[in-house]
Amino acid sequence: MKTYRPILFVLSIVLAGVAFFIWSAWKDRLRARDSQQWLSHNNDVIKALDSVQILITSKESAVRGYTITGDYVFIAHLPNYNKIIRSSLEQASRLLADNPQQVVRLQQLRQLLHEKEQFQQLIVHARKVSYDSAMQLTASLKGKNIMDRISVVLEQMKADQQKLLGASIVRNQEAGHQSVQTAIIGALMVLVFIIILLVRLNRDILLRRKAEEELQKSETRYRQFVENAGVITYTADIQGNFTFISQQVKALTGYSPEELLGKHFSVLIPPDWIPKVAEKYRQQFVNRIRETTLIFPIQFKNNGTRWVEQDVILLDKDGRVQGFQCVVKDVTEQELVRQKLQKIEEEQKEYQYRIQAILDNAPLIIYVKDLQGRYLLVNRQFRQIFGLTDEMVIGKTVADIDGKESSTERYIAADRQVIETRKPVELEDVLHLPDGDHHLLTIKFPLFDQDNQLLGVSGFMKDITEMVKSRQDMIAARQKAETAEALQEQFLANMSHEIRTPMNGIIGMTSLLMQTPLQQHQQEYVQMIKQSSDNLLVLINDILDLSKIKAGKISIEKIPFHLEEIIKTLNTAFRIKASEKKLSFSTLLHPAVPHHLTGDPHRLSQILTNLLSNAIKFTEHGYVTLEINVQEQAPRRVVLCFQVSDSGIGIDEKQLPLIFESFSQASSDTTRRFGGTGLGLAITKRLVELQRGSVHVTSKPGVGTTFSISLPFGISTEKEVVHGGEKPAAESHTREDYTGKHVLIVEDNEVNQRVLEYNLQQYNLTVSVVGNGKEAIQWLKKNTTHLVLMDLHMPLMDGFQATDYIRRQLKLTVPIVVLTASVLRNEKQRCLQIGANDYVAKPFAPEELQRCLEKYLLSRKEAVDDQQAVITAEADHPVFDISMLLQINDSKVIGEIYRVFENTVPSGLEELKQLSIKEDWEAVYELAHKLKSSLGIIRVKDLHAKMAAIENNARTQKKLQDVLPMINESIAAYYHVAPMIKMEIDKENVAHR
Ligand code: ADP
């Protein structure tokens, strides 16, 4: 269309030009005709005027001839002249009717002609009379006068006409000029038009020639192709019968043209295809479709099939279809390839459909992106959760879809990480969607093709909103539980303190009271008080034990011990109790049982005590036995079986499963008859299980009961076992004389102050009492003592703070024994950590107190008594080793070395702690190294090894998180042993003195 615009433009201009040309030519013709008319008009006028002049002159001459001659011949035609003059005037007046000036002149002329006529008639009449009178009239010049005036008018008129004629000629000439110009312009336009037409024509001709050439070429090509490719051409009539077939048909079908001529085309087509093919050509015929193409199979004469492509053109003659012109070519190869491709494509589609179905039904958001981050595929969950359609997603990047979402950056970074590392990446995020916040866990992973080339990134997203919610709930619940637990722990500590403190007073005072002279009945009363308070204490201890176990606050120790010692103690205690009830009591320790074990001796004691107490309690006649046997043995481990049997009342079969429940007793009258709370077995069972053991019971009412306990232990060497550390309470000592020794009691409860005071005074000790930690410090600043007994829970300053202050600020190494009514799991640990030497639970047994006094006030005496024994014992000390130092035989040197130790180690450890808090590992490494050397001579258990570990961790920058705890442990260990070491050194000095 565009290319025709200039042509249309030119054409319209040309048309306009031609129109103008025609119009102006027509105008010229009009003008020319006009001026032509004018010309002849003027000529006619002039001719008429001339004729009038000539006739007047002729009339004058005739009148003169008659005047002179008197011959009538001269005037015979006068009437004719007049007639002609009149008609000429008529003509002139007709021609000049539209020229007013000329009309006036014509009027003058008529007047003059009339006068002339009359004068001539006068002359003629006069001549008839006489020649002279006529001559006289002629000579009067009247005639000449009229004649002159006529000539003047006529000349004027002619001159006017001549002028008009001249103008008309000029106009005529102009019109001639104009029409020439118009003709030239018109001719030029026509010329341009013709040139354009010619150019176009030329181009069309060229194009046509080119098209023709191409057609010819393609025809040639086609013909060549047809000839070479073995294309069959044939014609068929409208029924589909062959009317002509080319020779090539034989090669394709096995039939010769002759065999097929006249037959229906369907003979060549497999039966199942015939309807389809026939329908196709019926349609072509009915709808007069000029040309069609169809691919279908044909049959070989001898049973083969080929695929052909058939082009069919309708043959029509005079608008009537005569038949079909067909070209057939073999496309078997292409068709088979195409079918194969189609099958593959269909399979792929099916495959893709299946994958999509799987992806859509997976309970995950799934997507695949290319390396540029454009989505290639997303599943239904993706579309649903994000509220997007395929059109909004496919081919787009995250930034395209939602560049505003703050997490977009993170997602893009994660994609990049997957592409760079070729490893999966996991991230958790919160998406703000219309229906609320969704927590999504995304796992992105790389996709590889067969050649291990990175294809893209795929992602699975799981909506973990529910999970996160329940996780948060769980955290909240745990926090609540922890808070509750902490409260429970606090409550337990308080309860324990509150109950045991007065119990301590009651028991202590009762003991003291019993030692005073009393009357018989008073002694009985006091005895009853003692028994009741003992029972109460057992009950309190049971309840606290159970609560501790239930709260998971009991930790099982793993220390070396002598099994024999425990059995001996139990034997002593229960032999007495059994004999009180006239029962026989025996213990049997099987020879195969190893004597040195590691485990928890206290808990074992407690378990066996429980079982033996019950056995004695529920037996009226007969025996109670304790038998210990090996159940399993390995080189370093052993499982022992403890059997407590009695010949007592036994337990009903139905009750057996219940006896291990808290507060449960076999029969309701048990309490009435035997007392008890039903807690003992519950505690026993739990303690056994805490040690990974098991309890078993067999019983027969009226015959007896056997409790069997299996417990695993480690086997220790004799050397590891601490001697004397845990001396059995029952093993009573003769009371030592501590004359000259001083003990400081730090205790807020006045009753307990008194109990302690009285107790200690029995050992001839001097005692000072202060009410809290602050007072203790004040006291210690001014005085010295040999032992501090420190309560933990006190107002103003508690035992922890006071102990810490004594060790760190006052730098005193005086032994401190903590007395506490608390049962908290780590309290003992804490006491030792801050530098206390020992720990005694309240209410304490007098034996326990005695043990402490022996341990911390007697050692010097023993050292003097048996120097050698002490040295050996200390060399084997499980907590520290100063044997190297003791090899130096100069006590002064030993003292100096110790002072250096005392001055450098605690401050060094403190500095180490600060450095590790600052994470200055280089400095930590150097200082730890230095301290390790200092600790080489006075070896504190573990401290040397700990320094080595700290040094190593700091140097290699590994496990740095362990360093600070190790330093804290080292500090605690130091303060724990420092007083002991000091004591040893002092002893040494005494010995050397
Ligand atoms: P307590 O002895 O304080 O009642 P225990 O938990 O120690 O509580 O024992 C629970 C119950 O099991 C006892 O009340 C008693 O009925 C039964 N029982 C325990 N040991 C024996 C035994 N050796 N002979 C008979 N009955 C026993």
Side-chain angles (χ1 to χ4, degrees), residues 542 610-611 614-619 646 648-651 659-661 663-667 670-671 675-684 699 704-707:
D542 274 359
N610 268 345
L611 294 180
N614 275 349
I616 288 176
K617 187 159 75 175
F618 295 109
T619 305
D646 65 58
I649 59 168
I651 306 163
I659 55 168
F660 294 106
E661 303 290 323
F663 303 105
S664 86
Q665 295 181 320
S667 65
T670 305
T671 322
T677 56
L679 284 176
L681 285 181
I683 293 169
T684 300
S699 185
T705 310
T706 299
F707 283 90

Side-chain angles (χ1 to χ4, degrees), residues 79-120:
N80 266 350
Y81 289 148
N82 284 340
K83 227 163 121 186
I84 293 169
I85 286 169
R86 259 200 312 276
S87 82
S88 289
L89 281 177
E90 280 301 304
Q91 193 187 2
S93 86
R94 240 185 0 257
L95 289 171
L96 295 171
D98 54 352
N99 190 337
Q101 210 179 357
Q102 296 289 62
V103 169
V104 174
R105 289 204 182 103
L106 203 63
Q107 202 50 49
Q108 285 176 343
L109 188 62
R110 269 203 189 99
Q111 187 60 44
L112 286 168
L113 285 175
H114 182 69
E115 281 179 30
K116 187 70 179 170
E117 173 83 41
Q118 285 185 335
F119 187 64
Q120 282 174 337

Side-chain angles (χ1 to χ4, degrees), residues 138-419:
T138 306
S140 69
L141 290 178
K142 192 183 173 186
K144 186 184 177 298
N145 205 2
I146 293 170
M147 201 53 192
D148 285 350
R149 278 164 57 201
I150 286 173
S151 288
V152 168
V153 172
L154 273 172
E155 281 314 314
Q156 274 178 342
M157 284 182 82
K158 265 158 65 180
D160 260 14
Q161 285 311 120
Q162 284 298 348
K163 220 154 78 191
L164 284 171
L165 187 66
S168 166
I169 287 166
V170 169
R171 256 204 326 271
N172 206 5
Q173 271 174 348
E174 276 175 0
H177 276 304
Q178 255 179 17
S179 64
V180 168
Q181 275 173 6
T182 315
I184 290 170
I185 292 169
L188 275 175
M189 278 183 168
V190 170
L191 198 68
V192 168
F193 179 62
I194 287 169
I195 288 170
I196 290 168
L197 279 180
L198 279 177
V199 167
R200 275 212 61 116
L201 203 64
N202 191 33
R203 213 175 58 190
D204 285 353
I205 289 166
L206 282 176
L207 283 174
R208 190 182 302 158
R209 194 174 301 152
K210 216 164 135 192
E212 276 169 3
E213 275 169 15
E214 261 167 20
L215 192 68
Q216 213 162 15
K217 260 191 226 162
S218 77
E219 265 176 13
T220 318
R221 262 205 310 266
Y222 181 69
R223 201 174 306 124
Q224 279 169 352
F225 171 73
V226 165
E227 279 159 12
N228 297 339
V231 163
I232 306 161
T233 54
Y234 74 89
T235 53
D237 60 20
I238 50 172
Q239 277 78 40
N241 297 320
F242 293 114
T243 48
F244 160 80
I245 304 180
S246 67
Q247 282 301 327
Q248 289 91 329
V249 76
K250 177 115 196 188
L252 187 65
T253 64
Y255 294 100
S256 69
E258 293 73 35
E259 280 177 285
L260 290 174
L261 270 179
K263 299 242 171 68
H264 192 259
F265 73 85
S266 58
V267 298
L268 289 173
I269 297 176
D272 53 333
W273 271 84
I274 293 173
K276 194 179 166 193
V277 176
E279 177 60 16
K280 170 90 179 175
Y281 296 116
R282 197 186 68 79
Q283 287 290 337
Q284 180 175 12
F285 175 74
V286 170
N287 299 322
R288 294 287 192 274
I289 300 164
R290 211 186 98 73
E291 207 173 326
T292 60
T293 301
L294 182 66
I295 295 177
F296 56 91
I298 57 162
Q299 282 176 319
F300 254 59
K301 190 177 178 184
N302 46 4
N303 261 349
T305 320
R306 303 290 290 170
W307 283 86
V308 295
E309 184 184 298
Q310 177 164 277
D311 294 322
V312 175
I313 295 172
L314 285 187
L315 285 176
D316 75 284
K317 204 173 170 191
D318 309 327
R320 279 194 54 215
V321 178
Q322 302 286 310
F324 302 93
Q325 166 78 57
C326 309
V327 178
V328 181
K329 68 185 173 217
D330 187 353
V331 292
T332 308
E333 309 309 323
Q334 298 97 297
E335 181 60 18
L336 291 181
V337 169
R338 193 192 64 76
Q339 283 179 2
K340 210 163 158 186
L341 281 177
Q342 190 181 345
K343 209 173 144 205
I344 291 171
E345 216 167 87
E346 271 163 15
E347 275 172 5
Q348 261 177 358
K349 248 186 217 160
E350 176 66 24
Y351 188 60
Q352 232 167 23
Y353 175 75
R354 268 186 228 159
I355 289 181
Q356 190 73 43
I358 292 169
L359 296 184
D360 279 351
N361 290 300
L364 293 167
I365 297 168
I366 302 172
Y367 57 82
V368 177
K369 293 182 195 175
D370 66 13
L371 292 174
Q372 280 70 46
R374 291 179 296 237
Y375 285 99
L376 297 175
L377 182 155
V378 299
N379 73 342
R380 195 172 52 210
Q381 296 267 341
F382 185 103
R383 295 186 294 262
Q384 276 173 2
I385 291 212
F386 297 114
L388 296 167
T389 61
D390 263 348
E391 290 71 39
M392 294 154 89
V393 178
I394 304 299
K396 306 251 169 65
T397 65
V398 190
D400 293 339
I401 296 167
D402 196 352
K404 288 189 295 281
E405 189 68 62
S406 60
S407 49
T408 304
E409 266 305 309
R410 286 184 56 209
Y411 280 99
I412 294 171
D415 282 354
R416 215 177 301 129
Q417 193 183 337
V418 172
I419 293 168

Side-chain angles (χ1 to χ4, degrees), residues 796-814:
L796 292 175
M797 184 189 257
D798 66 17
F800 291 110
Q801 293 166 311
T803 306
D804 196 58
Y805 194 92
I806 292 166
R807 292 292 184 238
R808 282 166 197 252
Q809 306 299 323
L810 303 182
K811 297 208 188 297
L812 295 178
T813 54
V814 60

